[in-house]
Amino acid sequence: MAETEVMKNTSNEDFGAFVDKFLLLPPSDSPHHLPLSGLTFAVKDIFDVEGHVTGFGNLDWARTHSAAASTAPVVSDILSSGAGSVGKTVMDEMAYSINGENWHYGTPTNPCAPDRVPGGSSSGSAVAVAAGLVDFSLGTDTGGSVRVPGAFCGILGFRPSHGTVSTDGVIPMAQSFDTVGWFARDPLILNKVGHVLLRSPVQDPLPPCQIIIPDDCFQNLCFQSNIIIPVVMKTIDNLFGCQVIKHVKLGDYVRDNVPSLKHFTESESQEFMIPSLSALSNSLRLLQRWEFKNNHGEWVSTIRPHLGPGIHERVWDAIGTSNGNVEHCHTVKTELQAALSSLIQDCGILVLPTVPGPPPKLQTEPVKLEDYRAKAFSLLAIAGMSGFCQVTIPLGMWDDLPVAVSLLARHGDDLFLLNLVQTLYDSLKEQASSMIKLT
């Protein structure tokens, strides 16, 4: 690959999305007609790029690590498919937040809601796409780090099935959940990137056998459900007929089919929280902390890095984690994947709120963010613990704030899901535009 240095650091013109701007071009001997020819992309500063320090969102990490000796395979695959990279993007420190605020590099500006957080930890990658600075970008999603900024910034964000896209050359956060995800404004580009990274040929779209709406998730966790559910149901009815729609209480289903969650159920559930999904979140966060400690505990304890508010507390909480109940976390993962596979079935879809509400305001106190974070993880943990693929789809703006919905499909049904997004996208946006105007 060829490289030309263009500029270092960020500027007001790039919405604060970049930590390092440089140009990476496809190999000079590449054919002219490649799947991503002519497109530009950005890379989260968690991916190795030869000759550049992988900063992991923290100045002390960058100071204590050498430049990468090689480029992450997923980045190389994108370059070999014809796209050019314009640089590395801001991320939350050590990938340990879903807010998008960075104490060292500044917070990228959310283009569709400038007074709100952009979402993390792939904040800069989402902002670069939302601002039109690149055609697509690479991020990572462990607990929700592509899905959340996608929803907050009003763009498409895809988390693939766990283990289907290489994480080599990517700093690990928690391997049981780490995935390489991507953002785009256009569902066709989202799909093209998917074919490259999933290393799969183009497939004909298939109609969904059923589309499941978990009424309890929307009632308890999403204040915008009075918009999202009618938009989704009208779109489905128009394209596939209402017979494919199925309503369930997901909380009850998970409670009855994932018995190991009993180890993570709290005696008093938070208001508006679904107990079984809250327990699912508790399980994910425990295993995430344990694996983070194993990956980075020695470095944190030795260097004692400067960490921003909220991140500092989470990192040191992880360092103090014991392995108690970790074995039950793996059992929960196995039971949940089997239960949801049976519920969703082949070519089925589960509709979810991506997040429990609009993006929080900038510089909200960490303590006040914890309630939002807890509710968000009860939704995000469904794909995280099952390993299923999930996409967040922007529906538009309501009260000047972004509205989004997620679709989740079984492990390995990634291309089916990407094709379905293309099929649904225009109709969803049209229905949303019509209904939002009426509210």
Side-chain angles (χ1 to χ4, degrees), residues 186-207:
D186 182 337
L188 177 59
I189 292 177
L190 193 80
N191 203 335
K192 286 182 176 181
V193 175
H195 285 290
V196 170
L197 295 184
L198 294 164
R199 298 172 181 261
S200 179
V202 175
Q203 296 181 3
D204 291 333
L206 294 173

Side-chain angles (χ1 to χ4, degrees), residues 291-362:
E291 293 186 347
F292 180 90
K293 174 185 178 178
N294 289 337
N295 290 324
H296 306 302
E298 182 179 351
W299 180 84
V300 171
S301 298
T302 302
I303 300 299
R304 303 188 73 84
H306 293 286
L307 299 165
I311 305 287
H312 180 277
E313 292 80 2
R314 278 193 287 281
V315 165
W316 283 103
D317 182 47
I319 301 306
T321 300
S322 70
N323 66 349
N325 262 6
V326 165
E327 62 191 63
H328 295 303
C329 297
H330 291 289
T331 305
V332 168
K333 282 171 58 68
T334 300
E335 292 174 353
L336 181 68
Q337 185 172 94
L340 290 184
S341 293
S342 178
L343 174 68
I344 297 174
Q345 301 177 14
D346 190 32
C347 292
I349 291 292
L350 178 67
V351 182
L352 289 170
T354 308
V355 288
K361 289 187 176 182
L362 290 165

Side-chain angles (χ1 to χ4, degrees), residues 139-403:
T140 58
D141 189 310
T142 299
S145 294
V146 165
R147 291 164 288 167
V148 172
F152 284 2
C153 292
I155 57 174
L156 294 154
F158 188 79
R159 173 197 166 93
S161 298
H162 185 257
T164 57
V165 176
S166 171
T167 55
D168 292 345
V170 182
I171 299 174
M173 200 279 184
Q175 290 92 326
S176 289
F177 311 108
D178 290 346
T179 61
V180 170
W182 54 97
F183 301 96
R185 298 182 304 279
D186 182 337
L188 177 59
I189 292 177
L190 193 80
N191 203 335
K192 286 182 176 181
V193 175
H195 285 290
V196 170
L197 295 184
L198 294 164
R199 298 172 181 261
S200 179
V202 175
Q203 296 181 3
D204 291 333
L206 294 173
C209 65
Q210 62 174 350
I211 295 181
I212 301 168
I213 298 177
D215 294 319
D216 52 342
C217 291
F218 285 94
Q219 290 166 358
N220 288 323
L221 296 171
C222 186
F223 86 107
Q224 297 162 333
S225 61
N226 60 324
I227 289 178
I228 295 175
I229 291 179
V231 166
V232 171
M233 291 187 64
K234 183 66 174 176
T235 299
I236 295 168
D237 189 16
N238 287 344
L239 293 175
F240 307 113
C242 62
Q243 73 279 356
V244 301
I245 299 173
K246 177 182 178 181
H247 293 266
V248 300
K249 287 188 176 181
L250 187 63
D252 291 351
Y253 181 84
V254 169
R255 179 199 64 206
D256 295 341
N257 291 277
V258 187
S260 293
L261 278 177
K262 64 186 179 184
H263 299 288
F264 303 97
T265 301
E266 298 171 343
S267 56
E268 292 186 9
S269 182
Q270 197 172 357
E271 187 179 8
F272 302 121
M273 294 284 281
I274 300 170
S276 62
L277 300 188
S278 179
L280 199 64
S281 171
N282 293 338
S283 176
L284 181 147
R285 294 165 83 174
L286 171 60
L287 184 53
Q288 182 185 56
R289 288 194 298 269
W290 176 246
E291 293 186 347
F292 180 90
K293 174 185 178 178
N294 289 337
N295 290 324
H296 306 302
E298 182 179 351
W299 180 84
V300 171
S301 298
T302 302
I303 300 299
R304 303 188 73 84
H306 293 286
L307 299 165
I311 305 287
H312 180 277
E313 292 80 2
R314 278 193 287 281
V315 165
W316 283 103
D317 182 47
I319 301 306
T321 300
S322 70
N323 66 349
N325 262 6
V326 165
E327 62 191 63
H328 295 303
C329 297
H330 291 289
T331 305
V332 168
K333 282 171 58 68
T334 300
E335 292 174 353
L336 181 68
Q337 185 172 94
L340 290 184
S341 293
S342 178
L343 174 68
I344 297 174
Q345 301 177 14
D346 190 32
C347 292
I349 291 292
L350 178 67
V351 182
L352 289 170
T354 308
V355 288
K361 289 187 176 182
L362 290 165
Q363 298 179 338
T364 299
E365 293 180 11
V367 173
K368 294 182 179 179
L369 287 173
E370 188 52 39
D371 177 65
Y372 186 98
R373 181 179 171 83
K375 292 177 180 177
F377 268 93
S378 71
L379 294 167
L380 299 166
I382 296 168
M385 290 297 284
S386 66
F388 286 14
C389 51
Q390 183 175 342
V391 62
T392 184
I393 304 174
L395 298 180
M397 302 288 286
W398 185 52
D399 283 348
D400 295 323
L401 294 170
V403 181

Side-chain angles (χ1 to χ4, degrees), residues 47-54 65-72 88:
F47 292 85
D48 285 347
V49 173
E50 182 181 352
H52 296 264
V53 175
T54 309
H65 287 79
S66 302
S70 59
T71 297
K88 283 196 169 190

Side-chain angles (χ1 to χ4, degrees), residues 1-6 21-30 39 41 43 49-52 71 75-76 78-87:
M1 61 187 175
E3 177 177 347
T4 304
E5 291 292 338
V6 178
K21 297 187 77 174
F22 51 82
L23 186 63
L24 290 178
L25 299 175
S28 57
D29 58 350
S30 298
L39 299 179
F41 73 107
V43 180
V49 173
E50 182 181 352
H52 296 264
T71 297
V75 177
S76 297
I78 293 293
L79 291 167
S80 297
S81 296
S85 172
V86 300

Side-chain angles (χ1 to χ4, degrees), residues 97 128 322 439:
S97 179
S322 70
T439 61

